[in-house]
Amino acid sequence: MREAVKESVREAVWYLRLTYVFTGKAIKAMLTYRCSFVINCISQAMDYAVAFLLMWVMISAFDSLNGWNAYEVMLLYSFSLFAYGIAGTFFFNIMNHLPGQIWKGGFDDVLVKPVKVLPYLLASSFICNYIAHITLSILVMGLCFHALEMPVTLWLLARIIRILLFGSLIYGGLFLIVSGSAFLVTKTDALFHIMFFFREVSYYPLSIFPKVIQIMATVLVPYGFINFYPLRELLGKEETGGLGYLAGWSPVAAIVFFTMACLFFNLSARQYKSSGS
Amino acid sequence: MGLCKKILSISFKEKSIFRFDYLVNTLFSFFYIVLKVYLWKGLYGISGEAVSGIALNDMLVYSILSSFTAGITKTTVMNDLNESVLSGSISSNLLLPIGLKKYLFLHSVTKNIFLTLYGIIPSVLAAMLFFGFHAEISPVNLVLYVLSVIMGTLINFLYNFLFGSSVIWFRNSFFLNNINSVLLNLFSGALVPLWFFPEPMKILSVFLPFRYIVFEPIAVLLNTKSAAETAYVFAMQLFWLVFLFCAATAVWNRGRNKIMIQGG
Amino acid sequence: MSLIKVEHVSKNYEVILQRSGAKNVWRNLFCPDKKVVYAVQDISFAIEAGELVGFIGENGAGKSTTIKMISGILFPASGNITVAGICPYLKREKNARNIGAVFGQRSRLNWDLPMLDSFELHKEIYRIDPVRYQKNVDMFIEMLHMQDFCNTPVRQLSLGQRMKAEIALSLLHEPAILYLDEPTIGLDVLAKQQIREFIKERNRREGITTILTSHDMKDLDSVCRRIIILEKGRILFDGAIERFKQEYTKESIAEFTYAGKCSDQVIPDGPVRVLLDKDHRLVVAYSPAEMTTAQLVGMVSAYYEINDFTIKAPDIEDMVRGIYEREAD
């Protein structure tokens, strides 16, 4: 038993080291395109900055959105964006490249390596393209907490990190499900759309949407647990909308969802091996 | 004119193969309209009192119309120019018996007509059926709207063509393209109508062409303007049209000479 | 005990047929037409350690499927496969340590970095001992003449240079078995030659069992000692390349240039058949089993004043085509 634990720890450390080596090489490769990388980051930052600005303009004109003021809604947005950025750093490239790899046969090159599929893909897919998302959302969070007159104490910081951690895990699971479905169907567009549609939904308080969307965003794809439920508790908002008091369930939802996503991914990969391309 | 027709019909045929993707796209553009509608309903709250002189119903009508108007005035000409300059195919495009500007415009328009027919109109119609569409639109306003949208399409195209031509010198229009889409999102009224803008942003928008692409045509259609104001909108559209046309032609002629002398 | 043992293996795919047209969108989505395609049907063969085996077959004959199954990428639908005593698809990771694979149509090298960086990643993935790694890298660079480009980003390399790097990469961890799928596709003559020599040398020195597929029959002719011909998922021929030539060679082609004719008579049809006689060029077909080259030249010189002649060795490609044509009939 202890041997088995030791062995899996050794494996995990090895994959971490592999991530480190792969990331080093990826950064070295990226330096050839330094200029376009910087431009890309600035462009993305601008896109999201404008989205934040428009959000502020719109809600300020109306005072509040279903009891949430502009800064509170911007917090929802920034938490969602931050979690998306963290998850994207690890998982986006898998989702982006896997369909093409499967289609063109490049996935076979992964299978002839003496590695476990998912950890290897994770190790080789780390990207730094989300610096803009993450930096911008931290800035906006700072701005909003300041405007809301909530001093960022250590206790608050710990709660924020907890929310972001589980939020990232949920986004990671979503990325994995879209990626894994590439093993089963040739077109993953519809799932892709669902993921990004609900990402858009998660920028606003869930309570403004009809019940059916609220239920879907809680049960089907647990977007509500990324930011809405935990922030409602953090900001001490009234319990309206959603499926009731669910903030405490965020960690459970995140861990269960992520585990299920991993299982789904591995089963799908296995299916690929028996059916081929 | 015969040539124009030919280009139109060919690029239309290319795209008119019905595909599952378009069904999915249509479905989701409908969902995005739904999202916008609930957002506005949430903002107006239960009382639904008019804000900045705009009632909830007007706002819902605006939301639905803005999806349509933004779709029809859209252009990817900056990207097209970028790709054809970088791949070198611009030299062969110059051999066409039709001005490149005209060619790209027709290309852009056909693409939009196609996307509008398959993607936007069904989703907009669905949204109208779903939420109801209570707007009193007089035939006069409708005609003015159509005219205004045509002008808006031309303005957006010329603006993008003007800055897209810079790729001949800079080799890459990615950043410009991005700045442009940011400005368009911000000031065209495609996402948030200019009624709700704070004063400084409103003033800024007056000096930019973007509001005449989406916001003003809809404002004309919804009869929120007096006759004088409507005339002013058309005058401004005409001004931007002439100004951008001259600028785009001047820059493009220089760029074309550069391509012809240096071979791209 | 054979290194690779394939027993009664079959593999079938379900292919979904797409119907075109607007009215079929929903049908395609919810009740697609399926068709079962047999990629491989009941094939058996065994490969001993140290063999050099070539797989021949048209596209879709089952070559790639077979290689994918023995390298552990695909499960067979039925039958058994054993590679070095283990089942490659059930113990994929263990099997993977033992094999090297090159799929010629795509690259595993990082496009934006020099090949040495990809080598280093490979070293980490396969946990190669640093000393052995350095020794192998140095050796391969020298053997494949890669000194000039080992620090150039891969995207700037020629196809031949890239393929050399790919093959070197797949041998860094000293695998016992090497799978090469179309390793010489699109390469120039010199690069092909160097790669063939390298493969042969590795096999001779280290006894690396090599399985090669190629459309270029010259590859197989110069590298392999044994070939397996697949057609529509079945094995048509499995044996030494020499035996194949003997069994399937009927005719060779000889080409003469001549100054003039000795007489007005023409060569009568018999053991020698005239295919072409024009512009002082004479092309004939003859059966090497029935007459030697000397006899042939003797016979032709009775009719023509020969300046020069060349004999075209029987071409495997033609022979294989012959087999396929015969199968088609």
Side-chain angles (χ1 to χ4, degrees), chain A residues 23 26-27 29-31 33-34 36-45 48 81 84-93 96-97 125-136, chain B residues 174:
Chain A
T23 309
I27 290 173
M30 197 188 70
L31 288 179
Y33 303 108
R34 208 171 325 180
S36 69
F37 174 77
V38 171
I39 287 181
N40 197 19
C41 282
I42 295 175
S43 301
Q44 280 181 332
Y48 286 107
L81 191 63
Y84 174 79
I86 295 288
T89 302
F90 295 97
F91 296 97
F92 184 81
N93 253 2
N96 198 19
H97 293 157
S125 303
F126 187 91
I127 43 169
C128 321
N129 295 18
Y130 289 93
I131 293 171
H133 295 68
I134 294 168
T135 320
L136 187 71
Chain B
F174 180 79

